[in-house]
Amino acid sequence: MTIFKKVKPLFFIALLLPCSLRVKAQDYHWQNSYSKVFATGDLQWQPEPFEYLAGKGEEVRYIDYENGSDANDGLTKDTPWKHHPWDTRASGNAAEASGILSCVFKRGVTYRLHPEDGEGLLVADASGRENSPIRLTSDPAWGKGEAVIAGSRLIETTWHKASRDEVPARMNPDHVWYTDIEMPSAPQSELPPSVRENFLEWRFGGPRMAEIILFEVTPGGEIHDLHIASDVGWHVSNPNFIMHHWNQWDGEKNINKEGEKEDLHGYDDALVGHESDYFDGGTLWSQYGGLMGTPTPHVLQPGDYDPEKGILAHRNNAHP
């Protein structure tokens, strides 16, 4: 005989309990957003308002690059150092300092890493801790203007008004002023240590062009870049593509110079017909595939230009 037992159905009930999810605050400033996004996709920089925080959890030292001395103790605004302890030019008490120090730079003073008396590097060899950071800052109550750390070199030479004989025929001397600065090219062994140590050796060897960028600081503190161009009055017409109005080669060719390494030459019908020395001493910036499109400077030497064919050399053995 078969017996059937009635079995009650089983129901599984998921009990939902209220819970809260904790959203972790941003740990670092770089995790925050500092820009406003417009409907067009454009961005506008919106930094946080400056807040002077030195002295909250760390020791403080004061730096005045113009009038300070590394022999001072750096503890007050009246006894500031000249150099930051990370500066390779630091000496005395500044060089001996270590640990978690926040340094206050005097406002209105430019701290120069490339002055005429030698190059300096800031080598960060210390780390802060939670709630005890290392700050490089400025005190609004000490000095006027902004505190600036500049990797640029101040041009202190005299500017001269150009005469007709001192400018190419295509230029109006009334619009040209000039000054002498360091040579535009130098052997690699004479390049600043920061360039030699942080960039690969130029694979062609020999002298190379110095990358020169000029800036003007107005009496009001505004900074404008000065364009190094062959045409007076040239300006960037498209800020999103600085080479928008650059000329384009009709083509290029390699020319072998009697068994030596080939020169790369560009030719353009627009270059035909000038005097044979028209481009001598100028600097040609050109893109080509060998450098993945990177514009590369070449100082034009006598013979680099062929006025009949509109050809310009833009790489050779001695000067890539």
Side-chain angles (χ1 to χ4, degrees), residues 128-133:
R129 295 190 300 269
E130 185 175 3
N131 299 320
S132 185

Side-chain angles (χ1 to χ4, degrees), residues 227-229 231 234-238 241-249 268 283-288 293-297:
H227 304 299
I228 306 175
D231 298 320
W234 180 88
H235 66 281
V236 177
S237 59
N238 185 345
F241 182 42
I242 198 169
M243 294 178 290
H244 182 261
H245 281 157
W246 281 31
N247 294 327
Q248 295 184 351
W249 298 112
D268 192 329
T283 302
L284 172 67
W285 292 79
S286 178
Q287 290 182 306
Y288 56 94
T294 302
T296 304

Side-chain angles (χ1 to χ4, degrees), residues 37-231:
V37 182
F38 293 89
T40 58
D42 292 331
L43 298 177
Q44 183 183 66
W45 186 41
Q46 288 189 325
E48 292 181 353
F50 176 78
E51 184 179 3
Y52 180 61
L53 298 173
K56 297 184 178 181
E58 76 281 357
E59 293 187 51
V60 175
R61 298 294 184 273
Y62 295 89
I63 295 176
D64 179 355
Y65 187 77
E66 290 183 351
N67 299 305
S69 170
D70 290 350
N72 292 336
D73 57 24
L75 294 173
T76 70
K77 298 174 183 177
D78 295 325
T79 57
W81 290 333
K82 179 179 180 65
H83 297 104
H84 190 284
W86 293 348
D87 196 320
T88 54
R89 299 167 298 173
S91 61
N93 290 328
E96 295 174 1
S98 61
I100 300 177
L101 299 175
S102 284
C103 290
V104 179
F105 292 78
K106 186 175 182 179
R107 292 201 168 195
V109 174
T110 299
Y111 188 109
R112 294 198 175 275
L113 294 173
H114 293 267
E116 295 298 330
D117 58 351
E119 181 193 40
L121 297 175
L122 291 182
V123 181
D125 55 4
S127 297
R129 295 190 300 269
E130 185 175 3
N131 299 320
S132 185
I134 292 176
R135 294 187 176 93
L136 277 66
T137 186
S138 64
D139 184 350
W142 190 34
K144 296 181 180 180
E146 296 293 338
V148 178
I149 299 178
S152 57
R153 177 173 294 176
L154 184 65
I155 298 178
E156 298 181 299
T157 53
T158 303
W159 289 83
H160 305 278
K161 181 73 169 59
S163 65
R164 175 72 274 173
D165 296 336
E166 293 173 317
V167 298
R170 64 182 182 276
M171 291 186 177
N172 183 347
D174 294 335
H175 300 160
V176 178
W177 288 74
Y178 70 91
T179 188
D180 293 326
I181 57 178
E182 64 184 54
M183 295 295 291
S185 62
Q188 290 182 359
S189 60
E190 297 179 8
L191 293 176
S194 58
V195 176
R196 294 199 306 270
E197 295 171 5
N198 293 290
F199 296 92
L200 296 175
E201 290 284 327
W202 190 262
R203 63 189 180 96
F204 295 106
R208 60 168 290 177
M209 178 71 184
E211 289 78 11
I212 300 176
I213 303 175
L214 298 180
F215 294 91
E216 175 192 19
V217 181
T218 67
E222 297 180 351
I223 300 176
H224 304 283
D225 57 327
L226 300 178
H227 304 299
I228 306 175
S230 60
D231 298 320

Side-chain angles (χ1 to χ4, degrees), residues 7 11 89 108 211 261 266 269 320:
V7 179
F11 295 92
R89 299 167 298 173
E211 289 78 11
K261 185 182 292 185
D269 289 341

